[in-house]
Amino acid sequence: MSNIVDQSTLFKKRHSLAHVLLMAIKHNFPHSLPTIGPVTDTGFYYDIDFVEGVKPTLEDLPKLEKTMREILKRNLSFKVETITPGVAEGLFKLNPFKLELIDGIKTKGQDVTLYYTGEDFFDLCEGPHVDSTKEISNDSFKLSHLAGAYWRGDETKPMLTRIYGLAFETKAELDAYITQQEEAKKRDHRIIGAQLKLFTTSNLVGAGLPLLQPNGMIIRKEIEDYLWSLHSKKGYSRVWTPHLTKKDLYEKSGHLAQYSENLFHVMGATSKEDFCVKPMNCPHHMQIFADNQFSYRDMPVRYFEPATVYRDEKSGQLGGLLRVRAITQDDGHLFCTQEQIKEEVSTIVSIIKEFYTTMGMMDGYWVSWSVRGDDKSKYLGTDEVWDIAESSLEEAAKLNGLNYKRVEGEAAFYGPKLDFMFKDAIGREWQLATIQCDFNLPERFDLHFINNEGKKERPVVIHRAISGSLERFMGVMIEHFAGNFPLWLSPNQITILPISDAHHEHAKTVYEALDGANIRMKLDNTREGLGKKIRNTREMKTPYWAVIGDAEVTNGTITLEHRTAGKIGEMKISELVDKLSEEIKNKK
Amino acid sequence: MSNIVDQSTLFKKRHSLAHVLLMAIKHNFPHSLPTIGPVTDTGFYYDIDFVEGVKPTLEDLPKLEKTMREILKRNLSFKVETITPGVAEGLFKLNPFKLELIDGIKTKGQDVTLYYTGEDFFDLCEGPHVDSTKEISNDSFKLSHLAGAYWRGDETKPMLTRIYGLAFETKAELDAYITQQEEAKKRDHRIIGAQLKLFTTSNLVGAGLPLLQPNGMIIRKEIEDYLWSLHSKKGYSRVWTPHLTKKDLYEKSGHLAQYSENLFHVMGATSKEDFCVKPMNCPHHMQIFADNQFSYRDMPVRYFEPATVYRDEKSGQLGGLLRVRAITQDDGHLFCTQEQIKEEVSTIVSIIKEFYTTMGMMDGYWVSWSVRGDDKSKYLGTDEVWDIAESSLEEAAKLNGLNYKRVEGEAAFYGPKLDFMFKDAIGREWQLATIQCDFNLPERFDLHFINNEGKKERPVVIHRAISGSLERFMGVMIEHFAGNFPLWLSPNQITILPISDAHHEHAKTVYEALDGANIRMKLDNTREGLGKKIRNTREMKTPYWAVIGDAEVTNGTITLEHRTAGKIGEMKISELVDKLSEEIKNKK
C-alpha cells in the first residue's frame, strides 16, 4: 500500500465496504480465506481464496449484496487496534496470505493495525474507515462482477477470486456511473472498429500492434492533416527522425533508466550492434536543433513530428487502440527564450482550443496547472526560471480564458506543465493534450543560441502534444462519436442509391460530380430494394445518402437524407456538392 | 570468385590490366606480395602486401601507369596453363596469400590455372584474358586511387594496399567517366545536404539513421504528397502498419530466412517477448486484405503505405542517404484477378511515367522485363499463370510505349517483374521503380475472394514502388538537381530583398501576399548590402528573389530575379503570386 493515504469520506466508505463484503463472504462461504481488499477509482474489491468447488458465481453476487445490506443496517462501528506482529501471527495463523502480509510489516519493524467492525469481526488493515456502517447508504453501492486474480499479481502464485464492487456517495451517482458504463459498452471502439472496418489486429503481428484498414487510415490522416494545418499556420516545421537509435542517445538525455521497463531492445543481425526502438522523440529533436547555429533572430524554433514510438507492456494489458505498444504521438518541441514562453504556450493553447472545439470536447474540460511541490530539492533548475515558467503557463491559461486549477507537486522534475482533461460525449474524462516546460534536456545536450549580445544562451524547451497519441485519440473519438463521425472524418461521406437500373446513368453523373469535388462516396448499384440499401448505409454509419428515382432523373436532382436529420430534400447536383463541400471545409 | 564468368571483351581487358598492374608493381616494388586482382564495374584493382615503409603513395601512381604502358607496348600474349595444387604450392611457396587461395582450390578437389603474360610473368588466375596486350589501347585506362583493404575483407586479417584502376573500351569513354565522377563529387548529396541543411547524422543515433532537418522534410513531404496524389486518383487506399512484429509473420510469409542477415531482432524489456523490426511491409498488407471478405465486385484492392522498414548492414558500408538502415518505401500492394493484371500494371506504369517526367528523368531510361530462365523448377506457380503474368507485363509496357527489353532469368522466384532504370542529369543509372507479380504470398496467406460463381478464388498480388525508397530517392534527387531543386521542391521558394530600411514596409506587404498563397519564402531585412544579400540567397540555391527599392515601393511592385535566368523584370505583387503559384502547381 502507498504511504499517502486518501482521507476523503468516499475513500473511507469504499474501504469500509470492502470489509463489509468480506463479512458477507465469511457468512456465506465460511471456509474461504481473505487476502487483500483495497479501494479502486469506482469502488472496491476483495481477493478471496475460495475452497475449490465452493466458489461464488455471478449469480451469487445479489445474495452477497443482500447480506452486506443487512450488515450495514446493524450500525456497526469501526475501531482500530494496534498489536505486535507476533500477536497478529497468532490471530491469522490459519491464513498463509495474511501471514505473508504480516511478515512484510515485521520486516519493516512496524506494528500491525487491526480494524474491528462491530465486536466479532476484524481484518488486518491500515485504514482509514468510517466510524460506523450507518454512514454508508444502503443503495449507493453494488457488486458488479468477479474475475480471477493471481496473489500479488504473480502468475506463479495461486489464482484467487476477485469480487468487484461499485460505490459512490449517492445512488444517483452510482446510477449515472452504471448508465455511463452501459453506454460505453455500446460504444466499445473495438466492436465499432471491426464493424466499420477501421482497424484489425493479428496474432502473427502481436498484441498492442494494431493495423489500420483503409477506413481507419482515412480518419487518422484527416486528424493528422488537420493537426499539421493548425501547426503550419503557427510557424512549426516538420522534421523526421528514425525509429531506431543507439542507446547512447538516451543515456545522454537521462531517459534510459526512466524508460528501461518499457524499452524494446534491438540487436542488428549483421552489425551485432545494440540499438533500441525509440520510446520518445525528444532527444532526437535536440540533435536536430544542435546541428544548427541559431541566433536570437531565429528563435523560437518549432519542430513538429507525428512519430510512432514504441513502449513495451505485458500482452495481457493491451487491447484495441487505447492500450497499445505502438504510439504515434503528435509530438512537437519548441526552443525559446524565457521571455518567449508565455507567447509560445499561448499559441499552443489556442491550437488545443481550436482542435478540441472542432472535436466537440470543450464542454466540461479542465486544465491542471501542474507546479512544484514543497520539496524544491526534487526539481531541476533555479527558483527564478521556475517562477518565470510557472507564471508564464498561468498567464497563457488566463489569456486564453482556460478553466484551470493549480495542482501542487504535479510538475515534472524537469519543469511545470499544463495538462488538459477533456470529457467525451458520455462524460468520461480523458487526459489528452499537454504542454510541458523543460529545463533539463537543454542542459544535458548543451543547447544554446547566440543572444543579441553575441553570447551563448541556453534555450528553454517546450514539449507539447495536442491529441496525445493518434491511436489512443482515435479510440477515444470512435467511442465519443459512437462511430457516427462528423462528415469531414467519415470514411464514406455519402452513398448514392439509385432505386433501379433505370437510374444508374444519372447516378453515375452524381458520382462523377462528387468525385471531382474530392468527396468520399460509394455508389450502390446492386439490385437490392431501396429499404435494404438504406439499412446497409445506416449500418456503416454513413452521414448522408442520395436517393435517385424517376423524379430525380427527370429533374436532374437527388433527394438527400441524413442519418439523424432524416430527409433533407430534393436538390440539384451542384447544390449537393456545395453543401457537402462547405460542411467538410468547416469541419462541422 | 563467382562461377559465372563474364566473357565480354571489356571484362577481359580489365582483367588483363590487373595482371599488367601487378607486373608494373613487381617492377617498381620487387619485394611486395600480390594477393587478388579482380575486375570492377569501372575497371580493376589489385590488393598488394607491400613491405612496411616501401609502400606506394598517390604520387607513385603515374610511375606505375607509365610502366604499365611500356608493358602493353611489348605485345605480350596471355596463355593459360593448368597445374596441380601441389605444383602451384611450389611456385607460390613464398606467398602465404596465394597459398591460402591454392588451399581453397585443393579443398574443392580442383586443379589450378596459371595465366602467363609473356614468358616470364605468371599469376594464379581463373581468367579469362585477352590474347595479347596489343588489344588494350594505351589511353583507355588510368590508375585512380589507392586505399587500405583487409585480406578477405576480414578486420582480424592483415591490412593490404588496394590500387584501383579505371578502364574502358575507349579513351572517350574513360574521359566521360572521369568527367562524370568529377561532376558527381561536386553534387555529393552529403555535402549539399549539409550546406542546404537538409539532413544530419548523429553518432548518438547511429550510422545509416539520418535525421531530416525542416528543409529536407519539406522536400520529402512534397515528394510523398505528390506520390499519394498520383495514387489516390487511381483508386489506392492508404493503410498503416506498425514497425514491430512477431517473427511468426515472416515465418508464415517465408521471408525470415531470406532476410535473416538484415534483420533487427527485438526483445521487450517487460514482456520478454521476441519481435523484429519489419524489413518489408508485404506480409502486413496480406493481413489487412485477409481481414476482409472481398467479392469479385471489390477487386482489385489497392493498398498504399509510405512506410519505414529497417535492414541491418555493417556501419562501415553506410553513408548519407544512399546507403541507410532506415528505408521509407513508397510501398503498395494490389490484389487482383489474373485478367486484371494487364490493366493494373498499365496504371502503375502511367504513374511511374508521370512521376519521372516531372522529375526530369525520362531521358535515357530503360525497363528490364524480367522473366523466367530456362530452369523452370526454380520458380513458383504454374506455366499458365506465368504466361499470363509475363505477357500482361509486356502488354502493359507496350501499351505505354516503354523502352523495355526482355531479360531472362531475372524474374523473382515468386513472379515476373518490370524493373525501371533511370539516368540522372550526369548520366548515372539508378534502379528505382519496380512492378512485381507475386504468386507466392497469396498462397502462403491463403488469400481469396469470392468470384462471380460464388467460389473462392486466389488473387494475384502486385508489389510496386515508384520512388523505391524516399531516403535513397532524395539522395539521388539532390545529386540530380545538384541542390537546384525545381520551385515546387525548393525548401525556400523566394527571398524578399529590401535594399534598405525604407523598403521594409513594402517588403512586409509582399511577404504577406506570398504567405497568403502558401508560397515558402524568406524576408532578408538585415542591413547587409544588396550584393551580399543576393550572394547569401544564391548560396542556398533559392530559385527566385524579389528586389525592392525606391522604384518598386513607388510602383507597388517587385523586381524578380532567377538563379539561372537572371533578371526577369518588375511586376505587380499579384503577378508575382500568380506566376509562382502557377509554376508550383505545374511542378515545372
Side-chain angles (χ1 to χ4, degrees):
Chain A
M1 279 195 198
S2 138
N3 289 322
I4 301 160
V5 175
D6 190 338
Q7 297 290 341
S8 73
T9 322
L10 185 56
F11 185 93
K12 286 180 191 171
K13 284 182 183 173
R14 285 169 172 168
H15 203 175
S16 302
L17 278 164
H19 283 224
V20 175
L21 168 60
L22 177 57
M23 291 168 81
I25 290 167
K26 294 299 286 184
H27 180 78
N28 291 284
F29 300 87
H31 299 293
S32 59
L33 290 181
T35 68
I36 55 161
V39 165
T40 69
D41 283 351
T42 54
F44 57 91
Y45 67 76
Y46 216 116
D47 284 353
I48 307 285
D49 186 28
F50 286 98
V51 177
E52 199 54 48
V54 207
K55 290 184 181 180
T57 64
L58 208 55
E59 284 71 45
D60 295 310
L61 298 188
K63 185 171 67 184
L64 286 171
E65 245 181 63
K66 191 165 168 255
T67 313
M68 286 175 75
R69 291 206 168 84
E70 285 161 9
I71 294 166
L72 289 178
K73 274 188 221 152
R74 286 161 56 198
N75 295 345
L76 302 173
S77 61
F78 280 84
K79 288 201 188 99
V80 65
E81 183 180 322
T82 305
I83 55 175
T84 64
V87 173
E89 278 165 355
L91 290 173
F92 292 99
K93 64 174 181 276
L94 298 176
N95 185 328
F97 303 102
K98 295 286 186 187
L99 289 175
E100 198 178 318
L101 297 174
I102 294 163
D103 198 49
I105 299 170
K106 199 161 74 174
T107 310
K108 290 193 208 150
Q110 294 171 347
D111 273 342
V112 174
T113 52
L114 288 186
Y115 268 85
Y116 277 83
T117 315
E119 300 301 318
D120 307 324
F121 177 84
F122 60 82
D123 195 5
L124 190 72
C125 180
E126 280 190 334
H129 285 282
V130 294
D131 292 333
S132 163
T133 57
K134 71 178 169 196
E135 291 175 37
I136 302 168
S137 77
N138 235 322
D139 56 4
S140 64
F141 79 94
K142 182 181 165 54
L143 296 183
S144 56
H145 62 295
L146 36 72
Y150 290 105
W151 169 236
R152 304 208 139 174
D154 182 340
E155 292 169 30
T156 65
K157 301 209 162 150
M159 169 73 91
L160 310 169
T161 302
R162 178 170 296 177
I163 301 181
Y164 286 94
L166 298 170
F168 291 86
E169 287 284 3
T170 63
K171 181 176 187 307
E173 283 173 46
L174 174 67
D175 289 347
Y177 180 77
I178 291 169
T179 308
Q180 189 189 67
Q181 287 305 101
E182 282 165 1
E183 186 52 34
K185 218 176 268 178
K186 287 185 221 155
R187 293 166 176 251
D188 188 323
H189 75 282
R190 290 164 299 185
I191 294 165
I192 295 177
Q195 185 196 340
L196 303 186
K197 282 276 165 236
L198 302 180
F199 65 95
T200 186
T201 51
S202 156
N203 288 336
L204 296 173
V205 174
L209 298 167
L211 299 87
L212 290 194
Q213 289 281 358
N215 282 348
M217 192 56 202
I218 287 171
I219 297 172
R220 175 168 162 149
K221 193 167 183 309
E222 285 289 354
I223 294 172
E224 200 182 311
D225 289 350
Y226 179 41
L227 282 164
W228 171 230
S229 78
L230 294 175
H231 285 83
S232 66
K233 280 192 287 187
K234 305 290 185 186
Y236 281 79
S237 300
R238 283 184 80 133
V239 294
W240 187 91
T241 61
H243 303 85
L244 296 191
T245 177
K246 281 161 72 177
K247 288 174 189 157
D248 307 35
L249 186 68
Y250 293 106
E251 259 164 35
K252 178 135 184 174
S253 72
H255 285 120
L256 201 57
Q258 193 187 335
Y259 277 86
S260 64
E261 278 186 23
N262 301 111
L263 217 58
F264 283 105
H265 298 278
V266 179
M267 169 61 71
T270 286
S271 64
K272 307 291 177 206
E273 286 178 48
D274 247 344
F275 295 88
C276 65
V277 188
K278 66 175 171 183
M280 59 192 341
N281 306 302
C282 334
H284 290 82
H285 291 186
M286 302 303 121
Q287 293 284 288
I288 290 180
F289 181 90
D291 183 49
N292 296 271
Q293 288 79 45
F294 287 119
S295 90
Y296 65 99
R297 287 172 163 275
D298 302 307
M299 305 296 282
V301 170
R302 309 177 190 90
Y303 297 145
F304 180 71
E305 184 184 15
T308 311
V309 299
Y310 288 81
R311 295 177 187 171
D312 192 30
E313 290 191 53
K314 286 187 182 166
S315 301
Q317 297 168 334
L318 301 165
L321 296 173
L322 295 177
R323 284 295 286 276
V324 287
R325 281 161 161 158
I327 302 157
T328 308
Q329 301 179 322
D330 59 327
D331 209 0
H333 293 91
L334 68 85
F335 306 77
C336 65
T337 67
Q338 292 177 20
E339 297 74 39
Q340 292 169 332
I341 297 175
K342 185 175 117 187
E343 192 179 334
E344 290 305 313
V345 170
S346 191
T347 303
I348 304 164
V349 169
S350 73
I351 292 176
I352 293 172
K353 279 180 75 173
E354 188 170 345
F355 183 74
Y356 283 96
T357 300
T358 300
M359 297 299 175
M361 289 187 89
M362 283 303 282
D363 283 349
Y365 85 95
W366 70 277
V367 180
S368 167
W369 174 33
S370 306
V371 300
R372 279 193 295 185
D374 288 335
D375 183 1
K376 302 279 188 278
S377 70
K378 283 163 52 186
Y379 303 91
L380 218 91
T382 64
D383 282 350
E384 192 201 344
V385 71
W386 271 87
D387 287 345
I388 292 172
E390 289 185 356
S391 64
S392 300
L393 289 179
E394 188 183 25
E395 283 171 49
K398 273 190 184 152
L399 206 66
N400 285 276
L402 288 186
N403 173 33
Y404 72 97
K405 67 180 180 215
R406 181 186 173 93
V407 184
E408 277 192 25
E410 276 298 299
F413 78 91
Y414 50 75
K417 306 186 285 174
L418 292 179
D419 288 322
F420 290 69
M421 263 48 81
F422 294 98
K423 278 194 177 144
D424 68 14
I426 57 169
R428 287 173 304 174
E429 198 169 275
W430 302 91
Q431 183 175 335
L432 296 166
T434 187
I435 306 173
Q436 313 187 350
C437 291
D438 188 337
F439 314 130
N440 179 38
L441 287 179
E443 286 292 328
R444 285 195 165 255
F445 283 93
D446 191 23
L447 302 183
H448 62 263
F449 64 95
I450 304 300
N451 67 19
N452 59 8
E453 289 163 5
K455 287 180 188 151
K456 284 186 178 181
E457 192 174 316
R458 189 77 76 212
V460 174
V461 162
I462 301 176
H463 309 252
R464 17 80 349 110
I466 312 303
S467 74
S469 120
L470 291 178
E471 288 77 11
R472 182 161 168 268
F473 187 75
M474 192 163 140
V476 172
M477 283 304 102
I478 295 171
E479 302 203 352
H480 174 56
F481 292 118
N484 293 300
F485 296 101
L487 191 66
W488 70 280
L489 280 180
S490 288
N492 177 37
Q493 295 172 322
I494 181 167
T495 300
I496 307 164
L497 303 177
I499 294 176
S500 78
D501 288 3
H503 313 119
H504 282 187
E505 207 182 302
H506 183 49
K508 191 135 193 293
T509 312
V510 178
Y511 182 97
E512 275 158 16
L514 292 168
D515 194 31
N518 290 319
I519 292 165
R520 297 185 292 264
M521 44 56 202
K522 286 197 194 313
L523 168 58
D524 183 352
N525 55 15
T526 59
R527 289 187 170 164
E528 299 285 357
L530 183 62
K532 178 80 164 80
K533 285 187 182 187
I534 292 178
R535 277 196 300 282
N536 291 343
T537 305
R538 278 192 177 281
E539 246 171 44
M540 291 305 283
K541 299 178 188 283
T542 308
Y544 287 105
W545 49 97
V547 178
I548 296 171
D550 291 342
E552 287 82 4
V553 171
T554 309
N555 304 335
T557 57
I558 58 97
T559 294
L560 189 64
E561 299 189 19
H562 184 261
R563 70 182 161 209
T564 52
K567 189 177 276 192
I568 292 172
E570 202 177 332
M571 59 182 75
K572 295 272 176 208
I573 300 174
S574 60
E575 278 177 83
L576 172 70
V577 168
D578 289 349
K579 179 184 164 58
L580 298 189
S581 299
E582 185 71 11
E583 196 176 326
I584 291 165
K585 194 180 135 214
N586 295 334
K587 298 190 164 56
K588 280 282 169 60
Chain B
M1 279 196 198
S2 138
N3 288 322
I4 301 160
V5 175
D6 189 339
Q7 296 291 342
S8 74
T9 322
L10 185 56
F11 184 93
K12 287 180 189 170
K13 284 183 183 173
R14 286 171 172 166
H15 204 175
S16 303
L17 277 163
H19 284 224
V20 175
L21 167 60
L22 176 57
M23 291 169 81
I25 290 166
K26 295 297 286 183
H27 180 80
N28 291 284
F29 300 88
H31 300 291
S32 58
L33 291 180
T35 68
I36 56 161
V39 166
T40 68
D41 282 350
T42 54
F44 57 92
Y45 67 76
Y46 217 115
D47 284 353
I48 308 284
D49 187 29
F50 286 100
V51 177
E52 200 53 48
V54 209
K55 292 184 180 180
T57 63
L58 208 55
E59 284 72 45
D60 295 310
L61 297 188
K63 186 171 66 185
L64 286 171
E65 245 180 62
K66 191 163 167 258
T67 313
M68 286 175 75
R69 292 206 168 83
E70 284 161 9
I71 294 166
L72 289 178
K73 273 187 222 153
R74 286 160 58 197
N75 295 345
L76 302 173
S77 60
F78 280 85
K79 287 201 189 100
V80 64
E81 185 179 325
T82 304
I83 56 175
T84 64
V87 173
E89 279 166 354
L91 289 172
F92 292 100
K93 64 174 182 275
L94 297 176
N95 186 330
F97 304 102
K98 295 286 186 187
L99 288 175
E100 199 177 318
L101 296 175
I102 294 163
D103 198 48
I105 300 169
K106 200 161 72 175
T107 310
K108 290 192 208 151
Q110 295 171 346
D111 272 342
V112 175
T113 51
L114 286 186
Y115 268 86
Y116 277 83
T117 315
E119 301 302 318
D120 307 323
F121 176 85
F122 60 84
D123 196 5
L124 189 72
C125 180
E126 282 190 333
H129 285 282
V130 294
D131 292 333
S132 163
T133 58
K134 71 179 169 196
E135 291 175 35
I136 303 169
S137 77
N138 235 322
D139 56 4
S140 64
F141 79 94
K142 181 180 164 53
L143 296 183
S144 56
H145 62 295
L146 37 72
Y150 291 106
W151 169 237
R152 305 208 138 176
D154 181 340
E155 291 170 30
T156 65
K157 302 211 161 148
M159 169 73 91
L160 311 169
T161 302
R162 178 170 297 176
I163 302 180
Y164 286 93
L166 298 171
F168 292 85
E169 287 285 3
T170 63
K171 181 175 188 306
E173 283 173 45
L174 174 67
D175 289 347
Y177 180 77
I178 292 169
T179 308
Q180 188 189 67
Q181 287 306 101
E182 283 165 0
E183 187 52 34
K185 218 177 270 178
K186 287 185 220 154
R187 291 166 178 251
D188 188 322
H189 75 282
R190 291 163 299 185
I191 294 165
I192 294 176
Q195 186 196 340
L196 303 186
K197 282 275 166 238
L198 301 181
F199 66 96
T200 185
T201 51
S202 156
N203 288 335
L204 295 174
V205 175
L209 297 167
L211 299 87
L212 290 194
Q213 288 281 357
N215 283 348
M217 192 55 202
I218 287 171
I219 296 171
R220 175 167 162 150
K221 193 167 183 312
E222 286 289 354
I223 293 172
E224 200 181 312
D225 289 350
Y226 179 41
L227 283 164
W228 171 230
S229 77
L230 294 175
H231 285 83
S232 65
K233 281 190 287 186
K234 305 291 186 185
Y236 281 79
S237 300
R238 283 184 79 134
V239 294
W240 187 91
T241 61
H243 303 85
L244 296 192
T245 177
K246 281 161 72 179
K247 288 174 190 158
D248 307 36
L249 186 69
Y250 293 105
E251 259 164 36
K252 178 136 183 172
S253 72
H255 285 122
L256 201 58
Q258 193 186 337
Y259 276 88
S260 65
E261 278 187 22
N262 301 111
L263 217 59
F264 283 106
H265 298 278
V266 178
M267 169 60 71
T270 286
S271 63
K272 308 291 177 205
E273 286 178 46
D274 247 344
F275 295 88
C276 66
V277 188
K278 66 175 171 184
M280 59 191 343
N281 306 302
C282 334
H284 290 81
H285 291 186
M286 302 302 121
Q287 293 284 288
I288 290 180
F289 181 90
D291 184 49
N292 296 272
Q293 288 80 45
F294 287 120
S295 90
Y296 67 98
R297 286 173 164 275
D298 302 307
M299 306 296 284
V301 170
R302 309 176 189 90
Y303 297 145
F304 181 70
E305 183 183 16
T308 311
V309 299
Y310 288 81
R311 296 176 186 172
D312 191 31
E313 290 192 52
K314 286 188 182 167
S315 301
Q317 296 168 333
L318 302 165
L321 297 174
L322 294 177
R323 284 295 285 275
V324 288
R325 283 162 161 157
I327 301 157
T328 308
Q329 300 179 324
D330 60 327
D331 208 0
H333 292 90
L334 66 86
F335 305 77
C336 65
T337 66
Q338 293 177 20
E339 297 73 40
Q340 292 170 331
I341 297 175
K342 185 175 117 188
E343 191 178 336
E344 289 305 312
V345 170
S346 190
T347 302
I348 304 164
V349 169
S350 74
I351 292 176
I352 293 172
K353 279 180 77 174
E354 186 169 346
F355 182 74
Y356 284 96
T357 300
T358 300
M359 297 301 176
M361 289 186 90
M362 282 303 283
D363 284 349
Y365 84 95
W366 70 278
V367 179
S368 167
W369 174 34
S370 305
V371 299
R372 279 193 294 185
D374 289 334
D375 183 1
K376 302 280 189 275
S377 70
K378 283 163 53 187
Y379 304 91
L380 219 89
T382 64
D383 281 351
E384 190 201 344
V385 69
W386 271 88
D387 286 347
I388 293 172
E390 288 184 357
S391 65
S392 300
L393 289 178
E394 188 183 25
E395 284 171 50
K398 273 190 184 151
L399 206 66
N400 285 275
L402 288 186
N403 173 32
Y404 71 97
K405 68 180 179 218
R406 181 186 172 92
V407 184
E408 277 191 26
E410 275 298 299
F413 76 93
Y414 50 75
K417 306 187 286 173
L418 291 180
D419 289 321
F420 289 69
M421 266 43 86
F422 294 99
K423 278 195 176 143
D424 68 14
I426 58 170
R428 288 173 302 175
E429 198 168 274
W430 303 90
Q431 183 175 335
L432 296 165
T434 187
I435 306 173
Q436 313 187 352
C437 291
D438 188 339
F439 315 128
N440 180 36
L441 287 179
E443 286 292 328
R444 286 195 164 255
F445 284 94
D446 190 22
L447 302 184
H448 61 262
F449 63 96
I450 304 300
N451 67 18
N452 58 9
E453 290 163 5
K455 287 179 189 153
K456 284 186 178 182
E457 192 175 317
R458 190 77 77 211
V460 173
V461 162
I462 301 176
H463 309 253
R464 17 82 347 113
I466 311 302
S467 74
S469 120
L470 291 179
E471 288 76 12
R472 183 161 168 267
F473 187 75
M474 191 162 141
V476 172
M477 284 302 103
I478 296 171
E479 303 202 353
H480 174 57
F481 291 120
N484 294 300
F485 296 100
L487 191 65
W488 70 282
L489 280 180
S490 288
N492 178 38
Q493 295 172 322
I494 181 167
T495 300
I496 307 164
L497 302 177
I499 293 174
S500 78
D501 287 3
H503 313 119
H504 281 188
E505 208 182 301
H506 184 49
K508 191 133 193 294
T509 311
V510 178
Y511 182 98
E512 277 158 14
L514 292 168
D515 194 29
N518 290 319
I519 291 164
R520 297 185 292 263
M521 46 53 202
K522 286 197 195 312
L523 168 58
D524 183 352
N525 56 14
T526 59
R527 289 190 169 160
E528 299 285 357
L530 182 62
K532 178 79 163 82
K533 285 186 182 187
I534 291 177
R535 276 196 301 282
N536 291 344
T537 304
R538 278 191 177 282
E539 248 171 44
M540 291 305 283
K541 300 179 187 284
T542 307
Y544 287 105
W545 49 97
V547 178
I548 296 170
D550 292 341
E552 287 81 3
V553 171
T554 308
N555 303 336
T557 57
I558 58 95
T559 294
L560 188 64
E561 300 189 19
H562 184 261
R563 71 183 161 208
T564 52
K567 188 177 276 191
I568 292 171
E570 203 178 330
M571 59 182 75
K572 295 272 176 207
I573 300 172
S574 60
E575 279 178 82
L576 172 70
V577 169
D578 289 349
K579 179 183 163 59
L580 298 190
S581 299
E582 185 71 11
E583 197 175 325
I584 290 165
K585 195 179 135 214
N586 295 333
K587 297 192 164 55
K588 280 282 169 59

